[in-house]
Every structure is written in structure tokens, then in C-alpha cells.
Amino acid sequence: MPKVSRHTATQGGDYGSVVDHSEDLEPYTVDFLTFRADVDHTPLLKGLPDDRCQCPHWGYVFKGELVFRYPDHDEVYRGGEAFYAPPGHVPVHTEPGSEYLQFSPADDLRRTSEVTMTHFPPLTG
């Protein structure tokens, strides 16, 4: 049976403000995410339908706080809480130090990532 941990994941990377350890367990992608800084994804989602993430996510927040904006409300997810984020959301706040696990349909996430990575600031070293 397929499995993955933060330490065995072979995809993702260190993007400065966020560290992503991920693996495809088709038909899903599993992401272990750690945020070093508060990231508003609004500018990263420009170009997607309604400039919102169209990929659903199921997750669990180990620590910290996330705020996802929907057309009619904001949803706050805190450490110790599981969540479902349906299509049409925008992560607008991620408390620095937040860590969470996320499961997403792999094909939907790839389409989203193709857009977001074009807006992500380049790393300088």
C-alpha cells in the first residue's frame, strides 16, 4: 500500500516562505506544508477561474492558523483541526510557523500549480 511521510516525500521544495514536501499517491497528491512567513495567495492565483483555487483540499493543521477566503465568508483553520476546502477559495493568511497536511486531486493540483508557480517570487541565494 502506498505511503509517504514528510521525510520520505520526493517532490516539492523549499520556496523560501514555504517548504513543501509532497508525493503523488495517485489519484491524490499529499503535501506536508510548513510556512515560514504569512503568505496571501491572492496574487499567486491570478489567471485561474475567478482568480481562485479550483482544486479541493482535505487537510489537517498540526499547528498554526490558516485563513481561506470564499466568495461569501472567511474560514479559519487552527492547529488540531481537520478541514475541507472546496473549489473557489483563496488562502489569504498563513500564520508563520504553521504546519499542515493536505490531500488534493493530483490533476487539479497540477493545473493550479502551473499558474501559481509563474507568480511565485524567485529564490535568491
Side-chain angles (χ1 to χ4, degrees), residues 54-118:
Q54 302 301 312
C55 180
H57 310 286
W58 294 260
Y60 180 80
V61 182
F62 295 108
K63 67 179 186 176
E65 178 181 275
L66 322 171
V67 179
F68 285 16
R69 180 157 295 146
Y70 295 89
D72 60 347
H73 72 287
D74 287 356
E75 197 71 47
V76 179
Y77 309 112
R78 293 187 176 92
E81 295 179 336
F83 66 88
Y84 169 63
H89 62 273
V90 177
V92 294
H93 167 71
T94 309
E95 181 179 66
S98 293
E99 295 181 7
Y100 67 100
L101 170 65
Q102 173 176 280
F103 301 87
S104 313
D107 289 340
D108 292 344
L109 187 60
R110 271 191 283 278
R111 284 191 291 275
T112 300
S113 294
E114 287 172 0
V115 172
T116 60
M117 293 310 287
T118 65

